[in-house]
Amino acid sequence: MDFTPTEEQAAARDLAAEIFGDLATPERLAAAGTGSDAELWKALCAAGLPGAVEDVGLLGLVLLLEEQGRVTAQVPFAASCVFGLLAVAAHGTDEQRSRLLPALRDGTSIATGAFPARGSVVADEAGALSGTVSWVPWLRDATHVLVAAADATLWLVPVAAARVEPVELTAPWSAGRLVLDGAEGERIGGPRAYEDVRATARTAFAGLQAGVCAGSVARAVAHTNEREQFGRPLAAKQGVQLRAADAYMDTEAIRVTAYEAAWRRDAGLAYGTHALTAAWWASEAGKRVVHAGQHLHGGMGADLDHPVHRHFLWGRQLDAYLGCGSEVLEELGQLIAGQDETAGQQGPPGDSAHGELKEGTA
């Protein structure tokens, strides 16, 4: 394993850090309320960052999302790249790729995902979908939504063909309630596409959580070094140092597991268990870190307008998105047990008998 960024990945990460750092300021975030920052999205698209994800791979996307998470920038970057660009590139037909990818690359089309699969959404033989998804992140910004039906098939639906009702989440993710009443969708991929896109999403959002946690720790370190009590900085107290150290180590665990899962997918290796491991760390460790960040700010951390509170809200939202820690752990256990039961069976890595995924599995 080698997680050292390539020249292209490092350049994209540095450009993203510059754009997010310049535009996703606390003042602009406060002005955006619970909606997205349209000007920031335009800046990212003008820089070609959504389209660059095809070249830098999932590991590159994780690096970009870390930079977004550090400042909790309110743009549908992760959702559009995972549920739009990467999903269509990996599982779409040649015709779908040529028709859909150009607009996803330049940001004129924005995708999101109604994930994970819910029993409330069904598709008939003609591809008409019916059902309701109680909340979908970034739905109010999206032009297309990748819907996971009850049978784990994937359907790309124009948002204009559905009914969208605004919903407020813990984090300000411009979410909506998706109501499908015979909306026509086009099938994306084969029987394994859902598992691959879900694993890709879990890895990407774990990278976003690593950034959220890194930002929370950085704010806590700055605060405890500046804030004094009895003539000494709070950071000089051993209890504060230990709490911050634990948060740092948890953040590194989220980061390295996300890197490994992303690297394996880019290399075409089995990565299903690795994506689940990253998701578990993002959930369990992520909520510990954002709680610690808020706690280390003392009473200021309880201020809803303080920047660190945004990290707390994002961390708690990501904690449960695509499966909370206990759900992910159960799924991981079942996957490992299934691998043990089929250990002597024939089949390539990534074959369904092994319960793992490889890049491009459809």
Side-chain angles (χ1 to χ4, degrees):
M1 293 179 291
D2 183 4
F3 304 149
T4 305
T6 64
E7 257 185 62
E8 293 79 8
Q9 290 170 338
R13 177 199 60 200
D14 293 345
L15 179 57
E18 181 180 346
I19 295 173
F20 285 129
D22 288 344
L23 296 182
T25 61
E27 294 75 21
R28 286 177 62 94
L29 292 171
T34 61
S36 296
D37 187 332
E39 293 304 314
L40 174 55
W41 178 247
K42 288 179 183 177
L44 293 170
C45 295
L49 287 177
V53 170
E54 285 182 281
D55 298 321
V56 300
L58 184 55
L59 179 54
L61 176 58
V62 166
L63 294 171
L64 298 178
L65 293 178
E66 275 193 82
E67 300 306 324
Q68 179 185 358
R70 287 181 200 277
V71 292
T72 59
Q74 290 173 200
V75 285
F77 191 60
S80 195
C81 288
V82 169
F83 299 119
L85 197 72
L86 293 181
V88 173
H91 301 289
T93 63
D94 290 340
E95 187 279 329
Q96 287 173 325
R97 286 195 287 268
S98 63
R99 173 168 49 87
L100 296 170
L101 286 179
L104 289 167
R105 290 178 185 130
D106 65 23
T108 53
S109 287
I110 298 174
T112 189
F115 269 62
R118 296 170 173 85
S120 58
V121 177
V122 294
D124 63 20
E125 295 180 357
L129 285 83
S130 299
T132 300
V133 181
S134 57
W135 63 274
V136 178
W138 310 110
L139 185 61
R140 283 179 272 163
D141 298 330
T143 58
H144 295 78
V145 55
L146 188 65
V147 179
D151 59 356
T153 54
L154 295 182
W155 303 85
L156 192 65
V157 178
V159 172
R163 189 167 83 247
V164 175
E165 301 168 356
V167 171
E168 298 303 334
L169 303 180
T170 300
W173 282 6
S174 194
R177 182 171 182 259
L178 180 67
V179 181
L180 301 165
D181 187 11
E184 292 187 8
E186 56 180 308
R187 179 78 180 269
I188 300 291
R192 298 295 304 282
Y194 169 71
E195 294 177 23
D196 179 59
V197 174
R198 182 176 57 169
T200 300
R202 281 171 165 163
T203 304
F205 281 95
L208 184 61
Q209 180 76 304
V212 169
C213 291
S216 177
V217 172
R219 290 189 181 280
V221 169
H223 173 78
T224 54
N225 274 286
E226 295 168 1
R227 188 82 167 181
E228 291 190 356
Q229 188 178 63
F230 305 117
R232 299 178 63 200
L234 290 175
K237 298 182 180 295
Q238 188 178 48
V240 171
Q241 295 172 3
L242 293 173
R243 190 79 189 274
D246 285 343
Y248 173 80
M249 293 305 296
D250 271 338
T251 301
E252 289 302 297
I254 301 169
R255 176 181 287 118
V256 74
T257 52
Y259 283 6
E260 182 176 15
W263 177 84
R264 290 183 67 89
R265 184 188 189 276
D266 290 342
L269 302 173
Y271 71 106
T273 54
H274 301 80
L276 285 166
T277 302
W280 183 84
W281 275 103
S283 175
E284 293 295 309
K287 62 188 174 189
R288 287 198 297 266
V289 173
V290 296
H291 274 267
Q294 191 173 37
H295 188 199
L296 288 172
H297 277 76
M300 293 176 64
D303 182 355
L304 301 185
D305 296 323
H306 195 285
V308 78
H309 191 71
R310 299 181 60 83
H311 292 269
F312 176 78
L313 296 177
W314 278 62
R316 289 314 309 253
Q317 186 71 58
L318 287 163
D319 157 34
Y321 184 47
L322 301 176
C324 66
S326 58
E327 293 171 325
V328 168
L329 190 62
E330 180 183 16
E331 190 177 336
L332 178 59
Q334 292 171 346
L335 187 57
I336 293 173
Q339 288 177 320
D340 291 341
E341 291 170 2
T342 60
Q345 298 182 18
Q346 297 296 315
D351 181 84
S352 60
H354 291 258
E356 279 277 19
L357 301 166
K358 291 182 72 174
E359 182 178 11
T361 303

